[in-house]
């Protein structure tokens, strides 16, 4: 168990931080990691220590060095140029703290997932009022490092929603 940090000399100034689950290691290494690498971040941090995802993400953040953060689940399949698109949005809009998109969730274990099956969260324009009513922003969004307040490790669920409300 450890936190593994891989850095390259050139790429997008992004730290991708992954809280790895033990039962997903093979899927992550064979499918997810190659797609992260293809998105060309400077830094990939994989935390397979014991504990829940919010702690693993926070511990990964403490090892990170880049000005932009992307917290990536270990079962997500990133489209080509996904990080580049989010990065471009933040570079073009320096007054914006994070960039997000809609997404599709494909649930492997519906009996344990809060959505109880596959789902789609459409991309919507940011609204603080709408965000207070419900979360529509994925954890897998690009955040400016200086705005990251840490995940609340005491929450059992909805840590991503708490994060966006705090920011």
């Amino acid at each position: 168990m450890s936190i593994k940090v891989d850095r390259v000399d050139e790429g997008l100034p992004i730290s991708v931080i992954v809280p790895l689950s033990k039962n997903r290691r093979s899927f992550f290494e064979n499918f997810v990691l190659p797609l992260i690498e293809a998105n060309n971040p400077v830094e990939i941090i994989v935390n397979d220590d014991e504990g829940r995802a919010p702690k693993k993400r926070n511990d990964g953040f403490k090892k990170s060095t880049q000005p932009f953060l992307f917290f990536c689940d270990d079962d997500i399949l990133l489209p080509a140029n996904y990080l580049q698109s989010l990065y471009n949005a933040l570079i073009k809009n320096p007054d914006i703290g994070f960039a997000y998109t809609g997404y599709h969730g494909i649930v492997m274990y519906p009996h344990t997932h809060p959505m109880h099956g596959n789902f789609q969260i459409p991309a919507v324009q940011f609204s603080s009022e709408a965000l207070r009513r419900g979360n529509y922003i994925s954890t897998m969004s690009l955040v400016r490092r200086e705005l990251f307040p840490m995940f609340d490790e005491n929450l059992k669920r909805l840590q991503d929603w708490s994060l966006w409300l705090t920011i």
Side-chain angles (χ1 to χ4, degrees), residues 54-55 57-58 71 139 148-153 159-160 163:
K55 177 167 180 24
R57 290 180 180 121
N58 287 341
F71 295 94
T139 304
F148 177 63
M150 304 291 274
F151 285 94
D152 186 338
E153 296 178 22
Q159 301 93 354
D160 54 344
L163 177 80

Side-chain angles (χ1 to χ4, degrees), residues 89-113:
L90 290 180
I91 293 302
K92 290 178 186 174
N93 299 282
D95 56 324
I96 293 175
F98 56 91
Y100 64 94
T101 65
Y103 60 97
H104 296 270
I106 299 176
V107 178
M108 294 172 60
Y109 305 103
H111 61 284
T112 61
H113 194 276

Side-chain angles (χ1 to χ4, degrees), residues 66-121:
Q66 298 304 300
F68 296 94
L69 308 169
F70 185 80
F71 295 94
C72 187
D73 287 353
D74 60 5
D75 60 353
I76 192 76
L77 300 178
L78 292 180
N81 296 316
Y82 187 70
L83 293 179
Q84 182 73 58
S85 297
L86 295 175
Y87 176 75
N88 289 347
L90 290 180
I91 293 302
K92 290 178 186 174
N93 299 282
D95 56 324
I96 293 175
F98 56 91
Y100 64 94
T101 65
Y103 60 97
H104 296 270
I106 299 176
V107 178
M108 294 172 60
Y109 305 103
H111 61 284
T112 61
H113 194 276
M115 298 298 275
H116 304 294
N118 297 347
F119 61 95
Q120 179 180 0
I121 304 294

